[in-house]
Amino acid sequence: MNLTNWQLFFLCLLIVACERSLPFPEAVPPVLVANAIFSTDSIWHVQLTQSAPLEAEINFPSINKGQIIIKDITEGTAIELIPQSNGIYISDTQSPEANHSYQLIAMAEGYPTIQATDQMPTPFKATVNSFETSTYQQRNNYLFDITIEDANNKTNFYLIAITYEFDLGSQYIVEPAGHFSFDPNSDNEQVVPNHSSLKQSYLPDYNFNGQNYTTQVGTTSPSLEQIDSATKVLARIHIKSISAAGYQYELSVERFENIADDLFTDPIGVFSNIENGLGIFAGYTLQEIIIPIK
């Protein structure tokens, strides 16, 4: 076959490829989307919206004329949430209680009723033993040694997030840290292999259930370059014990955010535990520790 014939052959392949249609899925009716990550520190707060197709502009219309009921399965009671604006529904004064199981039921005209069940985790204790400066990937950071007193009841899941506060005299900077960990029990590498700037550290208790366990969390921040100019620096450490559903949701959201701009990675979905709809209904308990760095 001479050069001209080869060119005609590839031209035909190009034409066929350009004319082949892509197998987009058929449109499906919208469903309700409920989002509530709840704790004992606040009243009930649920956002109710409508799902939208992927090819549409990212916009989830609020559902303001729905009905949301929260059932306390442990106590056998129920409350109806009060609608606000922007699809927000809140309780009057009622807050979730530790170790209670709850069910969410959400209804709106024209949509299938959705529901989800989750449990508030057991309260826990944590302490920061020490911290030290370090350099990782040519960036200044701090390493925090944190001991968690793990409850011996079932598998527990921890999220550790650190925010820096810098008092520079003329301005006060509050900056969430980028997180990393070399703890072999950490799930950070499930998000991205090069986990140097995660929004939090992920730690299940598979290998230390019911024991006191010390982990090390590294944190980076661009403002650490200005620490010599600061009159005061604080590290605000939030440690959450979150339900299994909440943990999977948080992992999946950060995975999604890390590959959103990668054209060569297969798309992943965000975890949902809502039956007949989408969203997340998950409980957590929180301990906050404030450490003066300077």
Side-chain angles (χ1 to χ4, degrees):
M1 184 178 292
N2 59 33
L3 181 60
T4 302
N5 290 337
W6 274 113
Q7 290 173 333
L8 290 174
F9 175 71
F10 283 113
L11 178 61
C12 292
L13 285 180
L14 180 62
I15 294 173
V16 171
C18 291
E19 291 181 348
R20 187 170 60 184
S21 59
L22 296 175
F24 284 109
E26 295 182 2
V28 296
V31 296
L32 293 177
V33 180
N35 286 299
I37 299 183
F38 53 90
S39 76
T40 57
D41 297 328
S42 62
I43 62 175
W44 286 99
H45 183 284
V46 180
Q47 184 174 36
L48 191 64
T49 60
Q50 171 195 296
S51 63
L54 287 176
E55 66 270 18
E57 181 181 354
I58 299 177
N59 179 29
F60 302 101
S62 301
I63 303 296
N64 296 311
K65 295 183 178 180
Q67 182 183 21
I68 296 181
I69 295 171
I70 301 292
K71 290 186 176 181
D72 186 331
I73 299 174
T74 303
E75 294 288 343
T77 59
I79 60 171
E80 182 173 346
L81 301 189
I82 305 165
Q84 309 295 299
S85 59
N86 299 319
I88 302 298
Y89 296 72
I90 64 172
S91 58
D92 186 6
T93 59
Q94 300 91 337
S95 301
E97 296 185 41
N99 295 320
H100 281 217
S101 294
Y102 292 97
Q103 182 182 40
L104 172 144
I105 301 174
M107 298 164 280
E109 185 177 355
Y111 301 89
T113 298
I114 63 174
Q115 63 181 20
T117 302
D118 203 52
Q119 182 175 11
M120 286 290 298
T122 301
F124 68 101
K125 293 182 180 180
T127 55
V128 176
N129 307 310
S130 62
F131 63 90
E132 61 181 344
T133 59
S134 177
T135 301
Y136 176 58
Q137 293 188 343
Q138 299 181 339
R139 289 186 290 181
N140 295 332
N141 61 72
Y142 277 91
L143 302 176
F144 294 87
D145 280 345
I146 301 171
T147 296
I148 296 172
E149 298 180 25
D150 186 63
N152 186 19
N153 53 357
K154 60 180 181 180
T155 303
N156 299 294
F157 302 89
Y158 298 99
L159 304 175
I160 304 172
I162 298 173
T163 299
Y164 286 112
E165 299 182 11
F166 299 86
D167 188 347
L168 300 176
S170 60
Q171 60 178 327
Y172 197 86
I173 299 175
V174 178
E175 189 169 70
H179 298 76
F180 62 91
S181 176
F182 301 112
D183 187 337
N185 288 316
S186 163
D187 277 341
N188 288 3
E189 289 192 2
Q190 288 192 22
V191 181
V192 285
N194 182 14
H195 53 86
S196 60
S197 59
L198 298 179
K199 65 182 180 182
Q200 56 195 340
S201 188
Y202 300 85
L203 182 67
D205 73 348
Y206 298 136
N207 294 321
F208 58 89
N209 186 274
Q211 304 173 29
N212 289 357
Y213 183 77
T214 299
T215 186
Q216 189 175 72
V217 176
T219 54
T220 62
S221 167
S223 293
L224 285 176
E225 302 295 334
Q226 306 180 60
I227 194 168
D228 291 339
S229 304
T231 58
K232 183 172 68 173
V233 180
L234 300 177
R236 192 176 297 271
I237 303 173
H238 282 183
I239 307 171
K240 292 180 181 178
S241 175
I242 195 167
S243 69
Y247 188 76
Q248 291 301 319
Y249 172 78
E250 294 282 355
L251 269 174
S252 68
V253 167
E254 190 150 12
R255 282 197 202 106
F256 179 83
E257 292 172 348
N258 273 276
I259 70 167
D261 298 325
D262 191 341
L263 299 177
F264 302 100
T265 303
D266 291 335
I268 62 171
V270 173
F271 178 86
S272 169
N273 67 339
I274 305 292
E275 297 179 20
N276 299 322
L278 297 169
I280 185 66
F281 181 69
Y284 71 90
T285 59
L286 171 69
Q287 183 168 350
E288 180 184 70
I289 303 172
I290 300 175
I291 301 295
I293 300 297
K294 181 182 179 182

